[in-house]
Amino acid sequence: EFSAYAQSRVLQKLSGVNAVLGTTVGVPNSLGPGELLQHYGTQEQQDRYLPRLATGDEIPCFALTGPEAGSDAGAIPDTG
């Protein structure tokens, strides 16, 4: 399994070469799809998406919104 430590080492190396590269690789891989698929995806979902995410054939994204804040993540109330 690809650990958080391994991910941080990869991002450290990439960011040392180019900050934009580190962000481009880090954000989509740390904000959701890859890790969520590893932990909660079915085997079929993992087999379909993880290789495509790793090769860059698929570019992950996510949306964050709320009725009172729109897409301003800092303004979304935390009522946990």
Side-chain angles (χ1 to χ4, degrees):
E1 184 172 312
F2 196 67
S3 68
Y5 176 75
Q7 181 176 352
S8 70
R9 294 290 293 157
V10 168
L11 292 176
Q12 180 182 27
K13 293 288 186 184
L14 293 174
S15 297
V17 173
N18 183 299
V20 173
L21 176 62
T23 302
T24 301
V25 171
V27 169
N29 288 297
S30 64
L31 292 178
E35 188 169 354
L36 289 173
L37 283 168
Q38 283 183 310
H39 290 287
Y40 305 108
T42 65
Q43 190 61 50
E44 182 180 356
Q45 290 169 328
Q46 291 175 8
D47 292 344
R48 176 180 168 92
Y49 292 109
L50 290 176
R52 294 160 69 166
L53 290 170
T55 60
D57 291 333
E58 299 259 348
I59 305 297
C61 65
F62 73 100
L64 181 64
T65 187
E68 298 171 20
S71 61
D72 180 2
I76 295 175
D78 180 7
T79 59

